[in-house]
Amino acid sequence: ATVQVRGTVPITMTTERTVEDLQNVVSKMKSVESDLEYFSQWHKIADKRAPSPTGVVDHGTLMERYCRAKQSYHHKRLEGLLVERIGTFDDQKPCHFDFPTVEKDPELEEQREFALGTLQKTVQGIDEQVDYLRVTHQTITNKRLELENMIQDLEEETNDDESRMLIDDDQNDDGDLDTVFEDDIVAEQEHIEELQRKKRQLQEQLTSIRREREQLENTTEEKQRNLVLLHQETAGLDKERLEARVHELKEIKAFYDSLREVLEELGGVKILEVKEDSQTQHLVLQVLMYDEFKVQIVLEVHGQSELKLVNAQWITQPLVYDPCPIQNTAPYSLSMSPLDDLVEVAKTNLSPPHDVRFIVRETCSRIRVHKNRAQDLSLLRKEVLAKVVGSDQVVCSLNDGIVIVMRFYDNLVRAEQIVGVSGWDDTTADKILKTIRENESINLVPSAIVEIVRSEVEKLKQDGKNPRTPRLPKRRDASEQGTLL
């Protein structure tokens, strides 16, 4: 219906579509309500022993069946024992028969108590699920009633507005538009604005109800699946099978625990702690490598089931100390560089889970290289006088008057310079250095370089190329000293 006054714009009512939408929502809510009532209505059934709609057996009925089966078994067992022991009848005995005595097995009693406890927990879980469904059903019912009342009020207001608008149309048809006062127009506009405001509120409530309905539907489906799983678990509950399953799971757990310990021992990598950062929601791993160095690895969730590397850093001091310190000699330590370069390469060029594998593998390799380097330096210091400079250079002094400067690389040690300090000329020193360069390989260690230098010096001495005696400065006589003074 449309209301038009002279000099104004026509105003149209648009609440019919909203009422229809709300009615559709109410019908859908009734459907959800009926589903919830179907899954929680067996407590209202006259026959309490009837099974639930989902097939879950009432625990009271289950106990009744169990007692009847137990009583039947006892009767049959007693009859069998009487038939077997009829020949041992004696009036003087308290029981008149010699029945066998059975000693209770503590382990079986414990397993029986465990099985009964598991059954009670399962029944308690089923009761909690049923209570939750009942509460959900009541919530949906209340929401639906509230929405129906709102729709009824809105329909009544809409009908009143339509009646009023029809009267105005009749007046317009009769040519009585001039009798409409300005106050009525303002009141009508205010009323329309009020209806529009209610419409917006109803739309917001409708959106909220739809969201709650989706959540309740998802929750209902999940609870139904849980109820089916609980029914499947309790339906095949057998004491002997349960005991065998528990024993099997214990053996599997012990096997995997021992296997994990062996793998950690062989690989040298052990996870000490796994936690989640409350601020960044990142997963933080604390890893122990070679029982000495702790590394922190930060991961974030990537995709649906992958973890992507964020950062890695040392927790302990990245220092490798002298494994065999010499008495009265200053110890040394080799420092390892931070892991920033490895993190940059892994984040730039690798995808999960290869980035984490790269970090662990290269960090272990860096530790092994520095440990081997420290071992080689300890052996070298026992043979010759050596000084460690930084973490990648060593200077050795031989008794033959030769000084060797060696530098360490990742998997290689190289003699960079040889200096003769006791009469050796530069040509002879360069020749010895050339011989060392010709024998370079990955497996070359500092003590091997020292042996090569000693061998070359012995060959030179056998060839008669002894180092020249260094010339010492002349002593000044007394007159020159006096003049200088």
mmCIF file of all heavy atoms in Angstrom, residues 218-244:
data_model
loop_
_atom_site.group_PDB
_atom_site.id
_atom_site.type_symbol
_atom_site.label_atom_id
_atom_site.label_comp_id
_atom_site.label_asym_id
_atom_site.label_seq_id
_atom_site.Cartn_x
_atom_site.Cartn_y
_atom_site.Cartn_z
ATOM 1 N N ASN A 218 26.285 -27.655 13.591
ATOM 2 C CA ASN A 218 27.604 -28.284 13.598
ATOM 3 C C ASN A 218 27.845 -29.047 14.902
ATOM 4 O O ASN A 218 28.373 -30.168 14.903
ATOM 5 C CB ASN A 218 28.697 -27.235 13.390
ATOM 6 C CG ASN A 218 28.586 -26.555 12.048
ATOM 7 O OD1 ASN A 218 28.104 -27.150 11.081
ATOM 8 N ND2 ASN A 218 29.045 -25.317 11.949
ATOM 9 N N THR A 219 27.458 -28.413 16.017
ATOM 10 C CA THR A 219 27.637 -29.084 17.309
ATOM 11 C C THR A 219 26.787 -30.342 17.402
ATOM 12 O O THR A 219 27.234 -31.376 17.921
ATOM 13 C CB THR A 219 27.274 -28.124 18.446
ATOM 14 O OG1 THR A 219 28.031 -26.922 18.309
ATOM 15 C CG2 THR A 219 27.590 -28.746 19.799
ATOM 16 N N THR A 220 25.562 -30.272 16.871
ATOM 17 C CA THR A 220 24.679 -31.443 16.904
ATOM 18 C C THR A 220 25.261 -32.588 16.089
ATOM 19 O O THR A 220 25.264 -33.745 16.521
ATOM 20 C CB THR A 220 23.300 -31.061 16.371
ATOM 21 O OG1 THR A 220 22.785 -29.972 17.135
ATOM 22 C CG2 THR A 220 22.343 -32.239 16.461
ATOM 23 N N GLU A 221 25.778 -32.273 14.890
ATOM 24 C CA GLU A 221 26.391 -33.326 14.079
ATOM 25 C C GLU A 221 27.586 -33.947 14.787
ATOM 26 O O GLU A 221 27.773 -35.167 14.781
ATOM 27 C CB GLU A 221 26.817 -32.745 12.733
ATOM 28 C CG GLU A 221 25.648 -32.310 11.855
ATOM 29 C CD GLU A 221 26.117 -31.687 10.562
ATOM 30 O OE1 GLU A 221 27.355 -31.561 10.395
ATOM 31 O OE2 GLU A 221 25.267 -31.324 9.729
ATOM 32 N N GLU A 222 28.405 -33.097 15.409
ATOM 33 C CA GLU A 222 29.576 -33.626 16.121
ATOM 34 C C GLU A 222 29.151 -34.506 17.297
ATOM 35 O O GLU A 222 29.733 -35.576 17.532
ATOM 36 C CB GLU A 222 30.442 -32.468 16.612
ATOM 37 C CG GLU A 222 31.721 -32.923 17.305
ATOM 38 C CD GLU A 222 32.570 -31.744 17.748
ATOM 39 O OE1 GLU A 222 32.147 -30.588 17.498
ATOM 40 O OE2 GLU A 222 33.630 -31.975 18.338
ATOM 41 N N LYS A 223 28.130 -34.058 18.047
ATOM 42 C CA LYS A 223 27.668 -34.863 19.174
ATOM 43 C C LYS A 223 27.060 -36.185 18.712
ATOM 44 O O LYS A 223 27.231 -37.221 19.365
ATOM 45 C CB LYS A 223 26.638 -34.076 19.989
ATOM 46 C CG LYS A 223 27.178 -32.779 20.586
ATOM 47 C CD LYS A 223 28.404 -33.034 21.449
ATOM 48 C CE LYS A 223 28.943 -31.730 22.008
ATOM 49 N NZ LYS A 223 30.163 -31.932 22.814
ATOM 50 N N GLN A 224 26.376 -36.157 17.574
ATOM 51 C CA GLN A 224 25.829 -37.394 17.044
ATOM 52 C C GLN A 224 26.944 -38.371 16.679
ATOM 53 O O GLN A 224 26.844 -39.577 16.956
ATOM 54 C CB GLN A 224 24.963 -37.096 15.820
ATOM 55 C CG GLN A 224 23.670 -36.356 16.142
ATOM 56 C CD GLN A 224 22.894 -36.002 14.889
ATOM 57 O OE1 GLN A 224 23.312 -36.315 13.785
ATOM 58 N NE2 GLN A 224 21.767 -35.325 15.070
ATOM 59 N N ARG A 225 27.990 -37.853 16.045
ATOM 60 C CA ARG A 225 29.122 -38.736 15.719
ATOM 61 C C ARG A 225 29.755 -39.296 16.981
ATOM 62 O O ARG A 225 30.130 -40.480 17.037
ATOM 63 C CB ARG A 225 30.156 -37.972 14.885
ATOM 64 C CG ARG A 225 29.696 -37.642 13.484
ATOM 65 C CD ARG A 225 30.872 -37.197 12.634
ATOM 66 N NE ARG A 225 31.447 -35.972 13.134
ATOM 67 C CZ ARG A 225 31.094 -34.759 12.717
ATOM 68 N NH1 ARG A 225 30.157 -34.629 11.799
ATOM 69 N NH2 ARG A 225 31.680 -33.675 13.197
ATOM 70 N N ASN A 226 29.883 -38.452 18.009
ATOM 71 C CA ASN A 226 30.467 -38.937 19.262
ATOM 72 C C ASN A 226 29.598 -40.000 19.902
ATOM 73 O O ASN A 226 30.100 -40.993 20.453
ATOM 74 C CB ASN A 226 30.659 -37.766 20.226
ATOM 75 C CG ASN A 226 31.722 -36.802 19.744
ATOM 76 O OD1 ASN A 226 32.610 -37.178 18.972
ATOM 77 N ND2 ASN A 226 31.644 -35.555 20.158
ATOM 78 N N LEU A 227 28.273 -39.805 19.834
ATOM 79 C CA LEU A 227 27.376 -40.808 20.404
ATOM 80 C C LEU A 227 27.481 -42.137 19.661
ATOM 81 O O LEU A 227 27.457 -43.210 20.259
ATOM 82 C CB LEU A 227 25.939 -40.298 20.361
ATOM 83 C CG LEU A 227 25.574 -39.195 21.372
ATOM 84 C CD1 LEU A 227 24.166 -38.699 21.123
ATOM 85 C CD2 LEU A 227 25.712 -39.709 22.796
ATOM 86 N N VAL A 228 27.601 -42.052 18.328
ATOM 87 C CA VAL A 228 27.759 -43.290 17.552
ATOM 88 C C VAL A 228 29.062 -43.989 17.909
ATOM 89 O O VAL A 228 29.117 -45.214 18.072
ATOM 90 C CB VAL A 228 27.695 -42.969 16.046
ATOM 91 C CG1 VAL A 228 28.023 -44.212 15.219
ATOM 92 C CG2 VAL A 228 26.304 -42.471 15.678
ATOM 93 N N LEU A 229 30.139 -43.216 18.055
ATOM 94 C CA LEU A 229 31.426 -43.808 18.428
ATOM 95 C C LEU A 229 31.356 -44.436 19.812
ATOM 96 O O LEU A 229 31.883 -45.533 20.046
ATOM 97 C CB LEU A 229 32.522 -42.743 18.375
ATOM 98 C CG LEU A 229 32.873 -42.215 16.975
ATOM 99 C CD1 LEU A 229 33.913 -41.101 17.084
ATOM 100 C CD2 LEU A 229 33.414 -43.330 16.098
ATOM 101 N N LEU A 230 30.709 -43.741 20.753
ATOM 102 C CA LEU A 230 30.575 -44.308 22.093
ATOM 103 C C LEU A 230 29.755 -45.590 22.070
ATOM 104 O O LEU A 230 30.061 -46.554 22.784
ATOM 105 C CB LEU A 230 29.914 -43.277 23.017
ATOM 106 C CG LEU A 230 30.783 -42.086 23.427
ATOM 107 C CD1 LEU A 230 29.958 -41.085 24.207
ATOM 108 C CD2 LEU A 230 31.979 -42.535 24.243
ATOM 109 N N HIS A 231 28.724 -45.591 21.228
ATOM 110 C CA HIS A 231 27.929 -46.808 21.125
ATOM 111 C C HIS A 231 28.747 -47.962 20.552
ATOM 112 O O HIS A 231 28.652 -49.105 21.014
ATOM 113 C CB HIS A 231 26.714 -46.538 20.242
ATOM 114 C CG HIS A 231 25.943 -47.789 19.898
ATOM 115 N ND1 HIS A 231 25.321 -48.564 20.850
ATOM 116 C CD2 HIS A 231 25.714 -48.394 18.697
ATOM 117 C CE1 HIS A 231 24.739 -49.589 20.269
ATOM 118 N NE2 HIS A 231 24.961 -49.509 18.957
ATOM 119 N N GLN A 232 29.557 -47.664 19.534
ATOM 120 C CA GLN A 232 30.393 -48.708 18.963
ATOM 121 C C GLN A 232 31.412 -49.229 19.966
ATOM 122 O O GLN A 232 31.720 -50.418 20.000
ATOM 123 C CB GLN A 232 31.106 -48.175 17.712
ATOM 124 C CG GLN A 232 30.151 -47.866 16.567
ATOM 125 C CD GLN A 232 30.867 -47.243 15.386
ATOM 126 O OE1 GLN A 232 32.071 -46.961 15.451
ATOM 127 N NE2 GLN A 232 30.138 -47.034 14.298
ATOM 128 N N GLU A 233 31.974 -48.318 20.784
ATOM 129 C CA GLU A 233 32.950 -48.755 21.767
ATOM 130 C C GLU A 233 32.318 -49.598 22.871
ATOM 131 O O GLU A 233 32.884 -50.587 23.328
ATOM 132 C CB GLU A 233 33.654 -47.545 22.379
ATOM 133 C CG GLU A 233 34.539 -46.799 21.379
ATOM 134 C CD GLU A 233 35.172 -45.582 22.000
ATOM 135 O OE1 GLU A 233 34.881 -45.323 23.190
ATOM 136 O OE2 GLU A 233 35.937 -44.899 21.310
ATOM 137 N N THR A 234 31.115 -49.202 23.319
ATOM 138 C CA THR A 234 30.492 -49.923 24.421
ATOM 139 C C THR A 234 29.782 -51.183 23.958
ATOM 140 O O THR A 234 29.571 -52.094 24.751
ATOM 141 C CB THR A 234 29.478 -49.011 25.125
ATOM 142 O OG1 THR A 234 28.539 -48.526 24.150
ATOM 143 C CG2 THR A 234 30.184 -47.832 25.779
ATOM 144 N N ALA A 235 29.386 -51.247 22.658
ATOM 145 C CA ALA A 235 28.653 -52.414 22.187
ATOM 146 C C ALA A 235 29.526 -53.670 22.211
ATOM 147 O O ALA A 235 29.070 -54.752 22.541
ATOM 148 C CB ALA A 235 28.119 -52.166 20.776
ATOM 149 N N GLY A 236 30.790 -53.526 21.841
ATOM 150 C CA GLY A 236 31.680 -54.687 21.815
ATOM 151 C C GLY A 236 32.568 -54.798 23.026
ATOM 152 O O GLY A 236 33.678 -55.321 22.934
ATOM 153 N N LEU A 237 32.115 -54.274 24.169
ATOM 154 C CA LEU A 237 32.931 -54.295 25.376
ATOM 155 C C LEU A 237 32.974 -55.712 25.937
ATOM 156 O O LEU A 237 31.954 -56.268 26.340
ATOM 157 C CB LEU A 237 32.355 -53.322 26.405
ATOM 158 C CG LEU A 237 33.175 -53.139 27.675
ATOM 159 C CD1 LEU A 237 34.544 -52.585 27.342
ATOM 160 C CD2 LEU A 237 32.457 -52.224 28.646
ATOM 161 N N ASP A 238 34.145 -56.303 25.933
ATOM 162 C CA ASP A 238 34.359 -57.642 26.463
ATOM 163 C C ASP A 238 35.583 -57.597 27.360
ATOM 164 O O ASP A 238 36.604 -57.004 27.008
ATOM 165 C CB ASP A 238 34.562 -58.629 25.307
ATOM 166 C CG ASP A 238 34.596 -60.062 25.815
ATOM 167 O OD1 ASP A 238 34.345 -60.270 27.013
ATOM 168 O OD2 ASP A 238 34.887 -60.963 25.000
ATOM 169 N N LYS A 239 35.477 -58.253 28.504
ATOM 170 C CA LYS A 239 36.548 -58.157 29.489
ATOM 171 C C LYS A 239 37.842 -58.748 28.958
ATOM 172 O O LYS A 239 38.909 -58.122 29.032
ATOM 173 C CB LYS A 239 36.116 -58.866 30.771
ATOM 174 C CG LYS A 239 37.165 -58.821 31.874
ATOM 175 C CD LYS A 239 36.666 -59.507 33.119
ATOM 176 C CE LYS A 239 37.741 -59.469 34.208
ATOM 177 N NZ LYS A 239 37.281 -60.145 35.440
ATOM 178 N N GLU A 240 37.771 -59.947 28.389
ATOM 179 C CA GLU A 240 38.993 -60.588 27.908
ATOM 180 C C GLU A 240 39.593 -59.817 26.742
ATOM 181 O O GLU A 240 40.814 -59.605 26.683
ATOM 182 C CB GLU A 240 38.667 -62.023 27.492
ATOM 183 C CG GLU A 240 38.228 -62.911 28.659
ATOM 184 C CD GLU A 240 37.943 -64.333 28.199
ATOM 185 O OE1 GLU A 240 38.042 -64.567 26.967
ATOM 186 O OE2 GLU A 240 37.646 -65.177 29.058
ATOM 187 N N ARG A 241 38.758 -59.384 25.807
ATOM 188 C CA ARG A 241 39.278 -58.612 24.676
ATOM 189 C C ARG A 241 39.851 -57.285 25.138
ATOM 190 O O ARG A 241 40.862 -56.807 24.617
ATOM 191 C CB ARG A 241 38.160 -58.374 23.669
ATOM 192 C CG ARG A 241 37.699 -59.639 22.953
ATOM 193 C CD ARG A 241 36.527 -59.359 22.049
ATOM 194 N NE ARG A 241 36.862 -58.319 21.076
ATOM 195 C CZ ARG A 241 35.965 -57.772 20.261
ATOM 196 N NH1 ARG A 241 34.699 -58.152 20.315
ATOM 197 N NH2 ARG A 241 36.333 -56.841 19.399
ATOM 198 N N LEU A 242 39.209 -56.661 26.117
ATOM 199 C CA LEU A 242 39.716 -55.396 26.639
ATOM 200 C C LEU A 242 41.075 -55.583 27.312
ATOM 201 O O LEU A 242 41.997 -54.777 27.125
ATOM 202 C CB LEU A 242 38.709 -54.810 27.624
ATOM 203 C CG LEU A 242 39.086 -53.471 28.272
ATOM 204 C CD1 LEU A 242 39.236 -52.397 27.197
ATOM 205 C CD2 LEU A 242 38.045 -53.051 29.290
ATOM 206 N N GLU A 243 41.223 -56.649 28.084
ATOM 207 C CA GLU A 243 42.511 -56.911 28.723
ATOM 208 C C GLU A 243 43.597 -57.168 27.689
ATOM 209 O O GLU A 243 44.730 -56.677 27.814
ATOM 210 C CB GLU A 243 42.368 -58.109 29.667
ATOM 211 C CG GLU A 243 41.467 -57.840 30.870
ATOM 212 C CD GLU A 243 41.242 -59.094 31.686
ATOM 213 O OE1 GLU A 243 41.745 -60.164 31.260
ATOM 214 O OE2 GLU A 243 40.579 -59.017 32.739
ATOM 215 N N ALA A 244 43.257 -57.952 26.667
ATOM 216 C CA ALA A 244 44.245 -58.229 25.619
ATOM 217 C C ALA A 244 44.619 -56.952 24.884
ATOM 218 O O ALA A 244 45.805 -56.726 24.572
ATOM 219 C CB ALA A 244 43.687 -59.260 24.642
#
